């Protein structure tokens, strides 16, 4: 993937289009970091002692999408995806790669969660709130948090990918 294939955030749009644009940009960035690698490469850990892998990042972001856009924003009861015995919040899960874990499955699940997120967001305004902890959180805040979450993990993905095959950029 080249940077030209990512959906660039609109440089002069309203707030919602800007937030959604940046979120989609970082989603595409993470996907791009995985392109061209096989399952074995996607399981290569960043650097000892960290077990962080690109496959684990994809799985984790599916959990994060589910947590914020389904559990919190929409109030759905959605169990953890990758470890059914995990804490029901599940938002920190997905990093662990099991023997049965595959990139194709993880990518499908992640894309499904992104589709749920888009549907759940479409019916809401940026100022709409949902219960979170002991208060309320707006869709605007969730978008901003998700952009930060993806940006942080895309940085991890940059380092992992460079370690795997020397590829930089995207």
């Amino acid at each position: 993937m080249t940077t030209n294939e990512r959906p660039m955030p609109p440089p002069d749009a309203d707030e919602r289009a800007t937030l959604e644009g940046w979120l989609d940009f970082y989603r595409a960035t993470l996907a791009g970091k995985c392109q061209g690698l096989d399952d074995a490469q996607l399981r290569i850990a960043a650097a000892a002692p960290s077990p962080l892998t690109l496959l684990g990042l994809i799985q984790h972001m599916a959990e994060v999408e589910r947590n914020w856009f389904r559990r919190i924003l929409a109030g759905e009861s959605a169990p953890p995806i990758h470890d059914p015995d995990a804490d029901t919040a599940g938002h920190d899960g997905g990093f662990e790669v099991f023997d049965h874990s595959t990139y194709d499955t993880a990518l499908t699940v992640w894309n499904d969660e992104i589709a749920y997120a888009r549907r759940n967001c479409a019916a809401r305004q940026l100022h709409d709130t949902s219960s979170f902890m002991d208060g309320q959180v707006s869709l605007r805040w969730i978008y901003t948090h998700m952009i930060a979450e993806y940006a942080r993990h895309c940085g991890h993905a940059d380092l992992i990918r460079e370690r795997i095959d020397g590829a930089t950029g995207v």
Side-chain angles (χ1 to χ4, degrees), residues 87-162:
D87 162 347
T88 55
H91 62 278
D92 290 327
F95 287 117
E96 187 173 356
V97 176
F98 299 101
D99 289 341
H100 66 274
S101 302
T102 68
Y103 178 65
D104 287 342
T105 299
L107 187 62
T108 297
V109 170
W110 181 44
N111 284 323
D112 288 349
E113 290 302 322
I114 290 169
Y116 275 111
R118 288 184 174 130
R119 283 192 299 273
N120 285 341
C121 292
R124 292 171 172 79
Q125 300 299 312
L126 290 176
H127 62 270
D128 289 348
T129 60
S130 299
S131 296
F132 176 62
M133 298 176 82
D134 292 330
Q136 297 289 305
V137 63
S138 69
L139 175 57
R140 175 182 291 106
W141 190 95
I142 293 171
Y143 273 145
T144 304
H145 172 74
M146 290 296 291
I147 291 165
E149 179 88 8
Y150 269 101
R152 178 174 56 247
H153 290 314
C154 284
H156 297 137
D158 284 339
L159 296 173
I160 297 168
R161 180 63 189 253
E162 186 174 7

